[in-house]
Amino acid sequence: MRLFTRHSFAGTSLQMIADELGVTKAAVYHHFRTREDLLTTVVEPVLEQLRGIIGTAETKRTPHARAEHLLTGYVALAVEHRAVVAVFATDAGAIEMLCAQPETSDLVDRQMALLAGVTPGPAGHVNATMVMAGIAAATGPAMLSLDDDALRQHLIEAGRRALGLRAPRRPTRDETPHQQASIA
Amino acid sequence: MRLFTRHSFAGTSLQMIADELGVTKAAVYHHFRTREDLLTTVVEPVLEQLRGIIGTAETKRTPHARAEHLLTGYVALAVEHRAVVAVFATDAGAIEMLCAQPETSDLVDRQMALLAGVTPGPAGHVNATMVMAGIAAATGPAMLSLDDDALRQHLIEAGRRALGLRAPRRPTRDETPHQQASIA
């Protein structure tokens, strides 16, 4: 992920990865035939968690509740996997590769729809784009000096304002105290 | 800019640029020794305008007025040069190259400081990061269906909310009616 961040996905070869790890190219090739394989493997556990967050958000009754669940869940996930999300979300080559997979592209569309649903029309899509891009950028190298808890809190608050969401006054019924604490 | 957007800056060669233009590599090479030269030349007129916006914003008396001037000016500039800003702001290789130039890096720092100044501490920096990344993302290919006026209006409104800026009630004294109309 460090090499992808520094040289872009398209600019990183398996040879560079092997050099960085201090192994031969054959050793990397034994596990991953292409850098696409490697990126897919790194990203898969994050996508699995994201699927769960999106699925739960879609069961909520109001546009506000759907956007709130997606925002808090996605920010927590993005902060936990800072390096992966930064590449996944800002590198043209990585985006092209991942979005060429119909399932990933569908997840991004559903995320955007959940965030955009708070405000009708194109304004909702601009708000959602700003929040998605903002989360990706703020989890990148620029914010390394900020600890995870502070980053999570500030991103949720900025995201709520950008989307026009009010902060929830108390835990909703289907959130356990543990979940609430982990995203507060 | 189309090739940089599709293949990333690092993944685009002068040969690919020559092929896209239907000329020889020697013809491209006659004008630009490297793709760095080419990107610098494309970006320079936009940077020139940005310098003016940042300089004026820094003369304003309050943090709110400084952020408001930067936000409206930068959004207008970004929408006018949609393709350039999208590459300039989201491609790791292009960012690395441009930020290696001390003057560009200084401009980005001043922009961030102007936007972050509305809210003290790291929260202000997270807000500014979200707005800068959001403007870059929303001026990219995802929003091509939206016309320039609508995109400008929605971005300014989302940016104001994310930063915690109130919308100005009337034109400030140093804005002409023409400037006001162009960003409304």
Short mmCIF file of all heavy atoms in Angstrom, two decimals, chain A residues 92-135:
data_model
loop_
_atom_site.label_atom_id
_atom_site.label_comp_id
_atom_site.label_asym_id
_atom_site.label_seq_id
_atom_site.Cartn_x
_atom_site.Cartn_y
_atom_site.Cartn_z
N ALA A 92 -6.35 6.76 -9.72
CA ALA A 92 -7.14 6.53 -10.94
C ALA A 92 -7.03 5.09 -11.44
O ALA A 92 -8.03 4.47 -11.80
CB ALA A 92 -6.71 7.50 -12.03
N GLY A 93 -5.80 4.54 -11.42
CA GLY A 93 -5.59 3.17 -11.91
C GLY A 93 -6.27 2.14 -11.03
O GLY A 93 -6.88 1.18 -11.53
N ALA A 94 -6.15 2.32 -9.70
CA ALA A 94 -6.78 1.39 -8.76
C ALA A 94 -8.30 1.46 -8.87
O ALA A 94 -8.99 0.44 -8.84
CB ALA A 94 -6.32 1.70 -7.33
N ILE A 95 -8.82 2.70 -9.00
CA ILE A 95 -10.28 2.87 -9.12
C ILE A 95 -10.78 2.19 -10.38
O ILE A 95 -11.78 1.46 -10.36
CB ILE A 95 -10.65 4.38 -9.14
CG1 ILE A 95 -10.39 5.00 -7.77
CG2 ILE A 95 -12.12 4.55 -9.54
CD1 ILE A 95 -10.49 6.52 -7.76
N GLU A 96 -10.04 2.40 -11.49
CA GLU A 96 -10.43 1.81 -12.77
C GLU A 96 -10.49 0.29 -12.64
O GLU A 96 -11.46 -0.35 -13.06
CB GLU A 96 -9.44 2.21 -13.86
CG GLU A 96 -9.87 1.80 -15.26
CD GLU A 96 -8.91 2.31 -16.33
OE1 GLU A 96 -7.73 2.55 -16.01
OE2 GLU A 96 -9.34 2.45 -17.47
N MET A 97 -9.46 -0.29 -12.02
CA MET A 97 -9.39 -1.75 -11.87
C MET A 97 -10.53 -2.24 -10.99
O MET A 97 -11.24 -3.19 -11.33
CB MET A 97 -8.03 -2.12 -11.26
CG MET A 97 -7.63 -3.57 -11.42
SD MET A 97 -8.45 -4.70 -10.27
CE MET A 97 -7.58 -4.28 -8.75
N LEU A 98 -10.73 -1.59 -9.84
CA LEU A 98 -11.75 -2.06 -8.90
C LEU A 98 -13.16 -1.83 -9.44
O LEU A 98 -14.05 -2.66 -9.25
CB LEU A 98 -11.57 -1.38 -7.54
CG LEU A 98 -10.36 -1.86 -6.74
CD1 LEU A 98 -10.01 -0.88 -5.63
CD2 LEU A 98 -10.60 -3.25 -6.17
N CYS A 99 -13.37 -0.69 -10.13
CA CYS A 99 -14.70 -0.38 -10.65
C CYS A 99 -15.03 -1.23 -11.87
O CYS A 99 -16.18 -1.33 -12.27
CB CYS A 99 -14.85 1.11 -10.96
SG CYS A 99 -14.95 2.07 -9.45
N ALA A 100 -14.00 -1.85 -12.49
CA ALA A 100 -14.24 -2.77 -13.60
C ALA A 100 -14.88 -4.06 -13.08
O ALA A 100 -15.44 -4.83 -13.85
CB ALA A 100 -12.95 -3.06 -14.35
N GLN A 101 -14.78 -4.29 -11.77
CA GLN A 101 -15.46 -5.45 -11.17
C GLN A 101 -16.88 -5.01 -10.83
O GLN A 101 -17.07 -4.12 -10.01
CB GLN A 101 -14.72 -5.89 -9.90
CG GLN A 101 -13.26 -6.25 -10.15
CD GLN A 101 -12.50 -6.57 -8.89
OE1 GLN A 101 -12.96 -6.29 -7.79
NE2 GLN A 101 -11.32 -7.17 -9.05
N PRO A 102 -17.90 -5.64 -11.45
CA PRO A 102 -19.28 -5.15 -11.30
C PRO A 102 -19.71 -5.06 -9.83
O PRO A 102 -20.40 -4.13 -9.44
CB PRO A 102 -20.12 -6.20 -12.04
CG PRO A 102 -19.17 -6.89 -12.96
CD PRO A 102 -17.82 -6.82 -12.33
N GLU A 103 -19.23 -5.98 -8.98
CA GLU A 103 -19.69 -5.98 -7.59
C GLU A 103 -19.19 -4.74 -6.84
O GLU A 103 -19.93 -4.14 -6.07
CB GLU A 103 -19.20 -7.25 -6.89
CG GLU A 103 -20.04 -7.60 -5.66
CD GLU A 103 -19.23 -7.52 -4.39
OE1 GLU A 103 -17.99 -7.58 -4.47
OE2 GLU A 103 -19.85 -7.37 -3.32
N THR A 104 -17.92 -4.35 -7.07
CA THR A 104 -17.36 -3.17 -6.40
C THR A 104 -18.07 -1.91 -6.86
O THR A 104 -18.42 -1.04 -6.06
CB THR A 104 -15.86 -3.03 -6.72
OG1 THR A 104 -15.25 -4.30 -6.59
CG2 THR A 104 -15.20 -2.05 -5.79
N SER A 105 -18.26 -1.81 -8.16
CA SER A 105 -18.94 -0.66 -8.74
C SER A 105 -20.34 -0.51 -8.14
O SER A 105 -20.79 0.58 -7.80
CB SER A 105 -19.00 -0.84 -10.25
OG SER A 105 -19.79 0.15 -10.82
N ASP A 106 -21.02 -1.64 -7.96
CA ASP A 106 -22.37 -1.65 -7.36
C ASP A 106 -22.32 -1.16 -5.91
O ASP A 106 -23.19 -0.39 -5.49
CB ASP A 106 -22.92 -3.08 -7.44
CG ASP A 106 -24.22 -3.24 -6.69
OD1 ASP A 106 -25.20 -2.60 -7.11
OD2 ASP A 106 -24.26 -3.96 -5.67
N LEU A 107 -21.31 -1.56 -5.15
CA LEU A 107 -21.18 -1.10 -3.76
C LEU A 107 -21.00 0.42 -3.69
O LEU A 107 -21.62 1.08 -2.86
CB LEU A 107 -19.98 -1.78 -3.08
CG LEU A 107 -20.15 -3.23 -2.62
CD1 LEU A 107 -18.87 -3.72 -1.96
CD2 LEU A 107 -21.33 -3.40 -1.67
N VAL A 108 -20.15 0.96 -4.57
CA VAL A 108 -19.92 2.41 -4.59
C VAL A 108 -21.22 3.14 -4.94
O VAL A 108 -21.58 4.13 -4.30
CB VAL A 108 -18.79 2.79 -5.57
CG1 VAL A 108 -18.68 4.31 -5.72
CG2 VAL A 108 -17.46 2.22 -5.09
N ASP A 109 -21.96 2.62 -5.93
CA ASP A 109 -23.24 3.23 -6.31
C ASP A 109 -24.22 3.24 -5.13
O ASP A 109 -24.93 4.22 -4.90
CB ASP A 109 -23.87 2.47 -7.48
CG ASP A 109 -23.11 2.67 -8.78
OD1 ASP A 109 -22.25 3.58 -8.83
OD2 ASP A 109 -23.38 1.93 -9.74
N ARG A 110 -24.27 2.12 -4.39
CA ARG A 110 -25.20 2.03 -3.26
C ARG A 110 -24.79 2.98 -2.13
O ARG A 110 -25.65 3.61 -1.50
CB ARG A 110 -25.28 0.59 -2.76
CG ARG A 110 -26.07 -0.32 -3.71
CD ARG A 110 -25.78 -1.79 -3.48
NE ARG A 110 -26.27 -2.27 -2.20
CZ ARG A 110 -25.88 -3.44 -1.64
NH1 ARG A 110 -24.99 -4.19 -2.25
NH2 ARG A 110 -26.39 -3.82 -0.49
N GLN A 111 -23.48 3.10 -1.89
CA GLN A 111 -22.98 4.05 -0.89
C GLN A 111 -23.37 5.48 -1.25
O GLN A 111 -23.85 6.24 -0.42
CB GLN A 111 -21.45 4.01 -0.87
CG GLN A 111 -20.84 3.17 0.20
CD GLN A 111 -19.33 3.32 0.16
OE1 GLN A 111 -18.70 3.02 -0.86
NE2 GLN A 111 -18.75 3.78 1.25
N MET A 112 -23.13 5.83 -2.51
CA MET A 112 -23.46 7.18 -2.99
C MET A 112 -24.95 7.45 -2.85
O MET A 112 -25.36 8.52 -2.41
CB MET A 112 -23.03 7.35 -4.46
CG MET A 112 -21.53 7.46 -4.67
SD MET A 112 -20.84 9.00 -4.00
CE MET A 112 -21.55 10.18 -5.14
N ALA A 113 -25.77 6.45 -3.22
CA ALA A 113 -27.24 6.62 -3.15
C ALA A 113 -27.68 6.83 -1.70
O ALA A 113 -28.56 7.66 -1.42
CB ALA A 113 -27.93 5.40 -3.76
N LEU A 114 -27.08 6.10 -0.76
CA LEU A 114 -27.44 6.23 0.66
C LEU A 114 -27.10 7.63 1.18
O LEU A 114 -27.87 8.23 1.92
CB LEU A 114 -26.71 5.17 1.49
CG LEU A 114 -27.25 3.73 1.36
CD1 LEU A 114 -26.23 2.71 1.84
CD2 LEU A 114 -28.56 3.59 2.13
N LEU A 115 -25.93 8.16 0.79
CA LEU A 115 -25.53 9.50 1.25
C LEU A 115 -26.29 10.59 0.51
O LEU A 115 -26.65 11.62 1.09
CB LEU A 115 -24.02 9.70 1.06
CG LEU A 115 -23.10 8.83 1.92
CD1 LEU A 115 -21.64 9.14 1.60
CD2 LEU A 115 -23.36 9.04 3.42
N ALA A 116 -26.54 10.38 -0.79
CA ALA A 116 -27.21 11.40 -1.61
C ALA A 116 -28.69 11.52 -1.28
O ALA A 116 -29.31 12.56 -1.54
CB ALA A 116 -27.01 11.09 -3.09
N GLY A 117 -29.25 10.47 -0.67
CA GLY A 117 -30.71 10.40 -0.46
C GLY A 117 -31.26 11.45 0.50
O GLY A 117 -32.46 11.68 0.54
N VAL A 118 -30.39 12.10 1.27
CA VAL A 118 -30.85 13.09 2.25
C VAL A 118 -31.40 14.33 1.55
O VAL A 118 -32.34 14.96 2.02
CB VAL A 118 -29.69 13.50 3.20
CG1 VAL A 118 -30.18 14.47 4.26
CG2 VAL A 118 -29.04 12.28 3.82
N THR A 119 -30.80 14.70 0.43
CA THR A 119 -31.17 15.91 -0.30
C THR A 119 -31.56 15.53 -1.73
O THR A 119 -30.78 14.90 -2.44
CB THR A 119 -29.98 16.90 -0.35
OG1 THR A 119 -29.53 17.15 0.99
CG2 THR A 119 -30.35 18.21 -1.02
N PRO A 120 -32.77 15.92 -2.18
CA PRO A 120 -33.20 15.53 -3.53
C PRO A 120 -32.34 16.19 -4.62
O PRO A 120 -31.77 17.26 -4.40
CB PRO A 120 -34.64 16.07 -3.62
CG PRO A 120 -35.02 16.48 -2.24
CD PRO A 120 -33.76 16.76 -1.49
N GLY A 121 -32.27 15.54 -5.77
CA GLY A 121 -31.65 16.14 -6.95
C GLY A 121 -30.14 16.10 -6.94
O GLY A 121 -29.53 15.45 -6.09
N PRO A 122 -29.53 16.83 -7.88
CA PRO A 122 -28.06 16.80 -8.02
C PRO A 122 -27.33 17.35 -6.79
O PRO A 122 -26.19 16.95 -6.53
CB PRO A 122 -27.77 17.67 -9.25
CG PRO A 122 -29.05 18.31 -9.63
CD PRO A 122 -30.17 17.58 -8.98
N ALA A 123 -27.95 18.25 -6.01
CA ALA A 123 -27.30 18.77 -4.80
C ALA A 123 -26.93 17.61 -3.88
O ALA A 123 -25.84 17.60 -3.28
CB ALA A 123 -28.20 19.77 -4.08
N GLY A 124 -27.82 16.62 -3.76
CA GLY A 124 -27.55 15.46 -2.91
C GLY A 124 -26.34 14.68 -3.40
O GLY A 124 -25.55 14.19 -2.60
N HIS A 125 -26.19 14.59 -4.73
CA HIS A 125 -25.04 13.86 -5.29
C HIS A 125 -23.74 14.62 -5.08
O HIS A 125 -22.70 14.01 -4.82
CB HIS A 125 -25.27 13.56 -6.77
CG HIS A 125 -26.23 12.42 -6.96
ND1 HIS A 125 -25.81 11.11 -6.91
CD2 HIS A 125 -27.57 12.39 -7.12
CE1 HIS A 125 -26.86 10.32 -7.06
NE2 HIS A 125 -27.94 11.07 -7.19
N VAL A 126 -23.79 15.95 -5.19
CA VAL A 126 -22.58 16.76 -4.93
C VAL A 126 -22.19 16.61 -3.46
O VAL A 126 -21.02 16.40 -3.14
CB VAL A 126 -22.81 18.24 -5.31
CG1 VAL A 126 -21.63 19.11 -4.87
CG2 VAL A 126 -23.01 18.36 -6.83
N ASN A 127 -23.17 16.69 -2.54
CA ASN A 127 -22.88 16.50 -1.11
C ASN A 127 -22.24 15.13 -0.86
O ASN A 127 -21.24 15.03 -0.15
CB ASN A 127 -24.17 16.57 -0.28
CG ASN A 127 -24.83 17.93 -0.34
OD1 ASN A 127 -24.24 18.90 -0.78
ND2 ASN A 127 -26.09 18.00 0.09
N ALA A 128 -22.81 14.09 -1.45
CA ALA A 128 -22.32 12.73 -1.24
C ALA A 128 -20.90 12.59 -1.80
O ALA A 128 -20.04 11.95 -1.18
CB ALA A 128 -23.25 11.72 -1.89
N THR A 129 -20.65 13.19 -2.97
CA THR A 129 -19.31 13.14 -3.57
C THR A 129 -18.29 13.82 -2.68
O THR A 129 -17.19 13.31 -2.47
CB THR A 129 -19.33 13.82 -4.96
OG1 THR A 129 -20.28 13.14 -5.78
CG2 THR A 129 -17.97 13.77 -5.62
N MET A 130 -18.66 14.99 -2.12
CA MET A 130 -17.74 15.69 -1.23
C MET A 130 -17.42 14.85 -0.01
O MET A 130 -16.25 14.75 0.39
CB MET A 130 -18.33 17.05 -0.81
CG MET A 130 -17.42 17.82 0.14
SD MET A 130 -17.95 19.51 0.49
CE MET A 130 -17.52 20.34 -1.03
N VAL A 131 -18.43 14.22 0.57
CA VAL A 131 -18.20 13.45 1.80
C VAL A 131 -17.37 12.20 1.51
O VAL A 131 -16.41 11.91 2.24
CB VAL A 131 -19.56 13.09 2.44
CG1 VAL A 131 -19.38 12.08 3.58
CG2 VAL A 131 -20.23 14.36 2.96
N MET A 132 -17.67 11.49 0.43
CA MET A 132 -16.89 10.29 0.08
C MET A 132 -15.43 10.66 -0.21
O MET A 132 -14.51 10.00 0.28
CB MET A 132 -17.49 9.60 -1.15
CG MET A 132 -18.82 8.92 -0.90
SD MET A 132 -18.64 7.34 -0.01
CE MET A 132 -18.04 6.30 -1.36
N ALA A 133 -15.22 11.71 -0.99
CA ALA A 133 -13.86 12.14 -1.33
C ALA A 133 -13.14 12.66 -0.09
O ALA A 133 -11.94 12.44 0.09
CB ALA A 133 -13.88 13.20 -2.42
N GLY A 134 -13.88 13.37 0.75
CA GLY A 134 -13.30 13.92 1.97
C GLY A 134 -12.84 12.84 2.92
O GLY A 134 -11.76 12.95 3.52
N ILE A 135 -13.63 11.80 3.07
CA ILE A 135 -13.25 10.68 3.94
C ILE A 135 -11.98 10.02 3.39
O ILE A 135 -11.04 9.75 4.13
CB ILE A 135 -14.40 9.65 4.05
CG1 ILE A 135 -15.58 10.28 4.80
CG2 ILE A 135 -13.92 8.37 4.76
CD1 ILE A 135 -16.86 9.46 4.76
#
